Amino acid sequence: MKPVCLIIGAGAGIGGHVGKRFARDGYHVVLCRRGNAQGLESLIAEIESDGGSADGRLLNIVEENAVEELVLDVEKNTGPIEVVVHNIGAQIGNRSLTDTPLKTFELGWRLSCFSLFRLAHAVLPIMAERGKGTLLVTSSTAARRGNAGQHSHAAAMGGRRMLCQSLNAEFAAQNIHVAHIVIDGAVDAPDTLGKMLGENAFDKLRQEKGNEDGLMLPSHIADTYFHIAQQHRSVWTHELDLRSFSDEAWWNHAVSVSF
Amino acid sequence: MKPVCLIIGAGAGIGGHVGKRFARDGYHVVLCRRGNAQGLESLIAEIESDGGSADGRLLNIVEENAVEELVLDVEKNTGPIEVVVHNIGAQIGNRSLTDTPLKTFELGWRLSCFSLFRLAHAVLPIMAERGKGTLLVTSSTAARRGNAGQHSHAAAMGGRRMLCQSLNAEFAAQNIHVAHIVIDGAVDAPDTLGKMLGENAFDKLRQEKGNEDGLMLPSHIADTYFHIAQQHRSVWTHELDLRSFSDEAWWNHAVSVSF
Amino acid sequence: MKPVCLIIGAGAGIGGHVGKRFARDGYHVVLCRRGNAQGLESLIAEIESDGGSADGRLLNIVEENAVEELVLDVEKNTGPIEVVVHNIGAQIGNRSLTDTPLKTFELGWRLSCFSLFRLAHAVLPIMAERGKGTLLVTSSTAARRGNAGQHSHAAAMGGRRMLCQSLNAEFAAQNIHVAHIVIDGAVDAPDTLGKMLGENAFDKLRQEKGNEDGLMLPSHIADTYFHIAQQHRSVWTHELDLRSFSDEAWWNHAVSVSF
Amino acid sequence: MKPVCLIIGAGAGIGGHVGKRFARDGYHVVLCRRGNAQGLESLIAEIESDGGSADGRLLNIVEENAVEELVLDVEKNTGPIEVVVHNIGAQIGNRSLTDTPLKTFELGWRLSCFSLFRLAHAVLPIMAERGKGTLLVTSSTAARRGNAGQHSHAAAMGGRRMLCQSLNAEFAAQNIHVAHIVIDGAVDAPDTLGKMLGENAFDKLRQEKGNEDGLMLPSHIADTYFHIAQQHRSVWTHELDLRSFSDEAWWNHAVSVSF
């Protein structure tokens, strides 16, 4: 039986490519996304036509019991979850404090911080019982520094980063690997960044940065996710950044007199 | 008319001492805490007997509209808020993931992260309108690193730290000073640490560390809060730590072979 | 007898103003700088005319035994050093790797990192013997992040930051307070920034930022140095930033798609 | 012709294993170490008997022109350097400030910080000319936090970390990948940790941690070095940690009341 890789947030960007990568190397992947049943079917079909094995679910992660039942269902009907990928952001673009209603702030937290807690709460004890497991968390720049307009996103991401460290502190010795992967730039992902920016702005950005590989290519991001999941337990990575060669780091802006 | 300093979380520890310090130097302080009306009355009486000016409210910060109405009420009936101190933690001691119910995790976030967002949402636009203001946030070690058993607390604190950076990024240029004050050790506070540890354990800790000044003295913490609120706007501090001379930093544990 | 405050690097910017501040509050200050005897005399005269007490030395800090002999001499002939301020940078403007000769890189380290080690080596054991003391270190943004063109400066500053943490880890329990003060922006200092940028560029920058308080005012920086030196030992600050209200933090540049 | 991987610091630990890994996947490796010609010969022989290609040099990295001539020589006589690994530490165990002579502090810097600057100065412009290259730097916990007794080591490592960020800021856009790899625990390396602790203490540590994989296995560390060198340029990692599942993070010590 193939080991199972469960992906929460499997669209056309990082999540989908991570799914393809794990499927290519022998995992059965369970792909979950909120909507777009057709996109989900296409992804599964693509994986299967490459000789891989996958199934999928539509799932609203903020619904009560949604994550909890998913984990139990996969464990019971598909197989033991070896790797779980949490790939849910809550980026809403730049919004001033006044333009960020309380509901928006709360939803951002439910989507990207509380959902990880719920997922961990459901799956880590099962993994600990089995004596092994891997939890890969897609994160972003905002987990390491706030920014104007990022009140909701940065607060959710910053909380999640500390949660990852806490989970690792409790579970590493039980042979469970938690990795916090900081996506430190713009991903070439039409489903997320593309939708947020709008098609025209996204195309313009791709052209400016370089169509071929100016934005971060999710298929190559997937290579690093896979590598991390295969690391020997004596040399686990708990946090790393990924950023394009063409991108300045966020801490290197060109202010003339800041040394 | 005296400038107003509003303190959310004014018990016998940091909050109360910060209140006394600002009252001593000419502020009218509005002291808010969840319960213990008698303690609140004593604090007000103590401030008044020292020649200061204060009033108080009992307030459950997680209740809908509680913070929002408080801010409007103080602005209308007491005076323009010049300094606001957010002094709400959600430390519940060390709890394993399994022993941290979803409700607990959510409450921790409501108490210490969402409450700051709500407070900022209510008060910063008013301050921005006036062209000045100060927001001091009491934080803790957990805002900078997770730890086993700190899932709820670290996630709330880590989120709040990024929120402070985001607020600062939006509001500094509008002459509003946001400072994130990392209390990096145990405070000599019977109301919070004392209650959490229990009286005996707290007394034992005080004796071990040194009764006189082994734990962090909240009256002296208040001196630094006051200094930060008085900094000239060309030289604002946005983050600092406070830790006792007798305490090892959290990153300096005595593992023999970790370099 | 007045307590002694020794300042290494006392020009017309932070060092000189810190000297004036400590003199105003009762310290005898010993002002050291590399050259400009006239500037040094003026500073002493200004302090004395304000009723303070000061003397000065010209000192090349990279010379063998210079720091070591200074400390012994002050201790013997002036009085016990209570506070020592290390205020030596090695900013040389932005230089590409190729334009940074090995000698330049080494000199940057000698000036701003090795000099602190030598100073600490000379003075901290004496303070430890007496059971108290304070070491304040002026640092900069480059201590926390590298940048293109800052090879020499960032390497020296980053090393110095870790040295401060190491000194604190060894000496805090001996009642010696080491604080690392991150000057996170441009200081209104004609002696250092002014000379590096050139008079015209410096004037232009001052005008752009706001002549009155657009750049960081060293007289107000001095207030925070003084506060830190007076903190009660149960609540010491070990690291803090100082940045103007008008300045964006270095991590908040306006890249459109970095979240 | 095989691509060349140059390794500065190729003993029986990380350096040697990284050499074997790159040789196994088609690189010609140039192995440099300070002494032990026999160990170097054995390593080359082992690589060759596995079908790989390697040669070696004895090299004292602090000698004038040593690094500079090495780079030119390899470029001229062996082939274009595609990957260079800087694997030089300067850990001397825990030494108090008083027990750390100025010479020791300076040597630590020469070995582990200045040597990287010299290496980068010699090789990066050549790589930039060719339009590609990779520089992997072995780092340690001390690059991110100082500690009692680590004055020399932490200052050198902290400086080096900022240097890596500066190099990356200048050279990433020129298609040169600089990665700072934080070895965040004890490595199962008889040549370095073994010699520093002494044979008995090292054996005892291995037994305590678990002989099989309680310490970090350098052969597996090498897998991650290799992965990083193969990352697509749109998704480079610039900093990551590696730590054993059995190790607590350095920020998670068991102080009962530090939250």
Side-chain angles (χ1 to χ4, degrees):
Chain A
M1 199 173 69
K2 289 184 166 191
V4 171
C5 170
L6 170 64
I7 300 176
I8 314 287
I14 294 173
H17 283 276
V18 169
K20 288 191 246 182
R21 185 66 170 81
F22 277 79
R24 207 170 78 212
D25 279 86
Y27 286 78
H28 174 81
V29 293
V30 181
L31 305 157
C32 304
R33 58 184 298 171
R34 188 173 176 192
N36 190 358
Q38 203 183 333
L40 185 59
E41 286 313 311
S42 302
L43 183 56
I44 294 171
E46 189 185 344
I47 287 173
E48 289 177 340
S49 78
D50 287 344
S53 161
D55 66 293
R57 324 277 168 100
L58 294 184
L59 177 84
N60 183 353
I61 196 152
V62 301
E63 269 178 18
E64 211 174 329
N65 290 322
V67 189
E68 294 77 4
E69 285 170 5
L70 170 71
V71 166
L72 294 178
D73 180 52
V74 171
E75 282 279 330
K76 187 174 170 194
N77 299 310
T78 312
I81 300 168
E82 205 156 279
V83 177
V84 59
V85 179
H86 184 276
N87 184 53
I88 309 272
Q91 185 50 256
I92 50 172
N94 283 319
R95 305 266 191 102
S96 71
L97 182 63
T98 307
D99 290 338
T100 310
L102 302 198
K103 283 288 175 209
T104 301
F105 189 86
E106 178 166 349
L107 182 59
W109 172 79
R110 287 200 182 282
L111 275 166
S112 61
C113 183
F114 193 44
S115 70
L116 175 64
F117 181 75
R118 288 171 59 196
L119 178 63
H121 209 269
V123 77
L124 293 196
I126 297 172
M127 287 177 166
E129 184 78 27
R130 270 198 295 272
K132 69 171 177 175
T134 300
L135 167 57
L136 304 179
V137 179
T138 302
S139 184
S140 74
T141 313
R144 299 205 278 193
R145 65 98 178 82
N147 211 342
Q150 293 288 303
H151 307 290
S152 158
H153 186 56
M157 287 295 176
R160 210 165 74 172
R161 184 176 178 231
M162 290 300 103
L163 176 57
C164 286
Q165 291 189 1
S166 298
L167 292 172
N168 170 59
E170 180 173 343
F171 288 98
Q174 299 178 61
N175 204 24
I176 291 170
H177 183 184
V178 180
H180 181 256
I181 303 170
V182 179
I183 305 298
D184 218 9
V187 178
D188 198 349
D191 263 22
T192 48
L193 184 59
K195 279 183 182 156
M196 202 177 67
L197 296 178
E199 204 178 324
N200 285 347
F202 184 59
D203 282 353
K204 188 155 166 277
L205 175 70
R206 291 187 80 242
Q207 278 169 31
E208 276 169 20
K209 293 272 183 178
N211 274 320
E212 203 183 323
D213 65 359
L215 299 184
M216 299 174 71
L217 298 179
S219 58
H220 292 297
I221 291 176
D223 292 334
T224 291
Y225 278 63
F226 188 74
H227 174 73
I228 297 208
Q230 311 307 316
Q231 284 180 317
H232 187 269
R233 68 178 190 170
S234 78
V235 293
W236 281 345
T237 292
H238 301 90
E239 184 166 85
L240 76 165
D241 61 349
L242 294 171
R243 194 168 60 242
S244 177
F245 79 105
S246 62
D247 232 17
E248 247 188 342
W250 45 269
W251 59 81
N252 290 143
H253 63 142
V255 168
S256 58
V257 288
S258 172
F259 304 113
Chain B
M1 199 172 69
K2 290 185 166 193
V4 172
C5 171
L6 170 63
I7 300 177
I8 314 287
I14 294 173
H17 283 276
V18 169
K20 288 191 247 182
R21 185 65 171 82
F22 277 78
R24 209 170 73 211
D25 280 85
Y27 285 78
H28 174 82
V29 294
V30 181
L31 305 157
C32 305
R33 57 185 299 173
R34 191 176 175 191
N36 190 359
Q38 202 183 333
L40 185 59
E41 286 314 311
S42 304
L43 183 57
I44 293 170
E46 188 185 344
I47 287 173
E48 290 176 339
S49 78
D50 286 346
S53 161
D55 67 292
R57 323 278 169 101
L58 294 184
L59 177 84
N60 183 354
I61 195 153
V62 300
E63 269 179 17
E64 212 174 328
N65 290 322
V67 188
E68 293 78 4
E69 286 170 3
L70 169 71
V71 166
L72 293 178
D73 179 53
V74 172
E75 282 280 329
K76 188 176 170 193
N77 299 311
T78 312
I81 300 168
E82 204 155 282
V83 177
V84 59
V85 179
H86 184 277
N87 185 52
I88 309 271
Q91 185 50 259
I92 49 171
N94 283 318
R95 303 267 191 102
S96 71
L97 182 63
T98 307
D99 289 338
T100 310
L102 301 198
K103 284 286 174 213
T104 301
F105 189 87
E106 180 167 347
L107 182 59
W109 172 79
R110 286 198 183 283
L111 276 166
S112 59
C113 183
F114 193 43
S115 69
L116 175 64
F117 180 76
R118 289 171 59 196
L119 176 63
H121 209 268
V123 79
L124 293 197
I126 297 172
M127 288 177 167
E129 186 78 26
R130 270 198 294 270
K132 68 172 176 172
T134 300
L135 167 56
L136 305 179
V137 180
T138 302
S139 184
S140 73
T141 313
R144 300 206 279 193
R145 66 100 176 78
N147 211 343
Q150 293 287 303
H151 305 291
S152 160
H153 186 56
M157 288 294 177
R160 210 165 74 173
R161 182 175 178 231
M162 290 300 102
L163 177 57
C164 286
Q165 292 190 0
S166 299
L167 293 172
N168 170 58
E170 181 173 341
F171 289 97
Q174 299 178 60
N175 204 22
I176 291 170
H177 183 184
V178 180
H180 181 255
I181 304 171
V182 180
I183 305 298
D184 218 9
V187 179
D188 197 349
D191 262 21
T192 47
L193 184 59
K195 278 183 184 158
M196 201 178 67
L197 295 178
E199 202 178 325
N200 285 347
F202 184 60
D203 282 352
K204 187 156 167 278
L205 176 71
R206 291 186 80 241
Q207 278 169 29
E208 276 169 19
K209 291 272 181 178
N211 274 321
E212 201 184 326
D213 66 359
L215 298 184
M216 298 173 71
L217 298 180
S219 59
H220 291 296
I221 291 176
D223 292 333
T224 290
Y225 277 63
F226 188 73
H227 174 73
I228 298 212
Q230 310 307 317
Q231 284 180 318
H232 186 268
R233 68 179 191 169
S234 79
V235 293
W236 281 345
T237 292
H238 302 89
E239 185 166 86
L240 76 164
D241 60 348
L242 294 170
R243 193 169 60 243
S244 176
F245 79 105
S246 63
D247 232 17
E248 246 188 344
W250 43 271
W251 59 81
N252 290 143
H253 63 144
V255 168
S256 57
V257 287
S258 173
F259 305 111
Chain C
M1 198 172 69
K2 290 184 166 192
V4 172
C5 170
L6 170 64
I7 300 178
I8 314 286
I14 294 173
H17 283 277
V18 168
K20 288 191 247 181
R21 185 66 170 83
F22 277 78
R24 208 170 75 212
D25 279 271
Y27 286 78
H28 173 81
V29 293
V30 181
L31 305 157
C32 304
R33 57 183 301 172
R34 189 175 174 189
N36 190 358
Q38 203 183 334
L40 185 58
E41 285 313 312
S42 304
L43 183 57
I44 293 170
E46 189 185 344
I47 287 173
E48 289 177 341
S49 79
D50 286 345
S53 160
D55 66 292
R57 323 277 168 100
L58 294 185
L59 178 83
N60 183 355
I61 195 151
V62 300
E63 268 178 18
E64 212 175 326
N65 290 322
V67 188
E68 293 77 4
E69 285 170 5
L70 169 72
V71 166
L72 293 178
D73 179 52
V74 171
E75 282 278 330
K76 187 175 170 195
N77 299 311
T78 312
I81 301 168
E82 204 155 282
V83 177
V84 58
V85 179
H86 184 277
N87 185 51
I88 309 271
Q91 184 50 258
I92 49 170
N94 283 319
R95 305 266 190 102
S96 71
L97 182 63
T98 306
D99 290 338
T100 310
L102 302 198
K103 284 288 174 208
T104 301
F105 189 87
E106 178 166 348
L107 182 59
W109 172 79
R110 286 200 182 281
L111 276 166
S112 61
C113 184
F114 193 44
S115 70
L116 176 64
F117 180 76
R118 287 170 59 196
L119 177 63
H121 209 267
V123 78
L124 293 196
I126 296 172
M127 288 177 166
E129 185 77 27
R130 270 198 295 271
K132 69 172 175 172
T134 301
L135 167 57
L136 306 179
V137 179
T138 302
S139 184
S140 73
T141 314
R144 299 207 279 193
R145 65 100 177 80
N147 211 341
Q150 293 286 304
H151 306 290
S152 159
H153 186 57
M157 288 294 179
R160 210 165 72 172
R161 183 177 179 231
M162 290 301 102
L163 177 57
C164 286
Q165 291 189 1
S166 299
L167 292 172
N168 170 59
E170 180 173 342
F171 288 97
Q174 299 177 59
N175 204 25
I176 291 170
H177 183 185
V178 180
H180 181 255
I181 304 171
V182 179
I183 305 298
D184 219 9
V187 179
D188 198 347
D191 262 22
T192 47
L193 184 59
K195 280 185 182 154
M196 201 177 67
L197 296 179
E199 203 177 326
N200 285 347
F202 184 59
D203 282 352
K204 189 155 165 278
L205 176 70
R206 291 187 78 240
Q207 278 169 30
E208 278 170 19
K209 291 273 182 179
N211 274 320
E212 202 184 325
D213 66 358
L215 298 185
M216 298 174 72
L217 298 180
S219 59
H220 291 297
I221 291 176
D223 292 334
T224 292
Y225 277 64
F226 188 74
H227 174 73
I228 298 208
Q230 310 307 317
Q231 285 179 316
H232 186 269
R233 68 178 191 169
S234 79
V235 293
W236 281 344
T237 292
H238 301 89
E239 186 167 85
L240 76 165
D241 61 349
L242 294 171
R243 194 168 59 245
S244 176
F245 79 105
S246 62
D247 231 17
E248 245 189 342
W250 44 268
W251 59 81
N252 289 144
H253 64 142
V255 169
S256 59
V257 288
S258 172
F259 305 113
Chain D
M1 197 172 71
K2 290 185 165 191
V4 171
C5 171
L6 170 63
I7 300 176
I8 315 286
I14 294 172
H17 283 277
V18 168
K20 289 192 245 182
R21 186 65 170 80
F22 277 78
R24 208 170 77 210
D25 278 85
Y27 287 77
H28 174 80
V29 295
V30 181
L31 305 157
C32 304
R33 58 184 300 173
R34 188 173 177 191
N36 190 358
Q38 203 183 333
L40 184 59
E41 286 312 312
S42 302
L43 182 57
I44 295 170
E46 188 184 345
I47 287 173
E48 290 178 340
S49 78
D50 286 345
S53 162
D55 67 292
R57 321 277 169 102
L58 294 184
L59 178 83
N60 183 356
I61 196 152
V62 300
E63 269 179 16
E64 211 174 330
N65 291 321
V67 189
E68 293 77 5
E69 286 170 4
L70 170 71
V71 166
L72 293 178
D73 180 53
V74 171
E75 282 280 329
K76 187 176 171 193
N77 299 311
T78 313
I81 300 167
E82 205 155 281
V83 177
V84 58
V85 179
H86 184 276
N87 186 54
I88 309 272
Q91 184 51 257
I92 49 170
N94 283 320
R95 302 266 191 103
S96 71
L97 182 63
T98 306
D99 290 338
T100 310
L102 302 198
K103 284 287 173 209
T104 301
F105 189 85
E106 179 167 347
L107 183 59
W109 173 79
R110 288 199 181 282
L111 276 167
S112 61
C113 183
F114 193 44
S115 69
L116 176 64
F117 180 75
R118 289 170 59 195
L119 177 63
H121 209 267
V123 78
L124 293 196
I126 297 173
M127 288 176 166
E129 185 79 26
R130 269 199 295 270
K132 68 172 176 172
T134 300
L135 167 57
L136 306 178
V137 179
T138 302
S139 183
S140 74
T141 313
R144 300 206 278 193
R145 66 97 177 80
N147 212 342
Q150 293 287 303
H151 306 290
S152 159
H153 186 56
M157 287 294 179
R160 211 165 73 172
R161 184 177 178 230
M162 289 302 103
L163 177 57
C164 285
Q165 291 189 1
S166 299
L167 292 172
N168 171 59
E170 180 174 342
F171 288 97
Q174 299 178 59
N175 204 24
I176 291 171
H177 184 184
V178 179
H180 181 255
I181 304 170
V182 180
I183 305 297
D184 218 7
V187 179
D188 198 349
D191 262 21
T192 47
L193 184 60
K195 279 184 184 157
M196 201 178 67
L197 296 179
E199 204 177 326
N200 285 348
F202 184 60
D203 281 353
K204 190 157 165 276
L205 176 70
R206 293 185 79 241
Q207 278 170 28
E208 276 169 20
K209 290 274 181 178
N211 274 319
E212 203 184 325
D213 66 358
L215 299 185
M216 297 174 72
L217 298 180
S219 58
H220 292 297
I221 291 175
D223 291 335
T224 291
Y225 277 63
F226 188 74
H227 174 72
I228 297 208
Q230 310 307 313
Q231 284 180 316
H232 186 269
R233 68 179 191 168
S234 79
V235 294
W236 281 344
T237 292
H238 302 89
E239 186 166 86
L240 76 165
D241 61 347
L242 294 171
R243 192 168 60 244
S244 177
F245 79 104
S246 63
D247 232 18
E248 246 188 343
W250 44 269
W251 60 80
N252 290 144
H253 64 144
V255 169
S256 56
V257 287
S258 172
F259 306 112

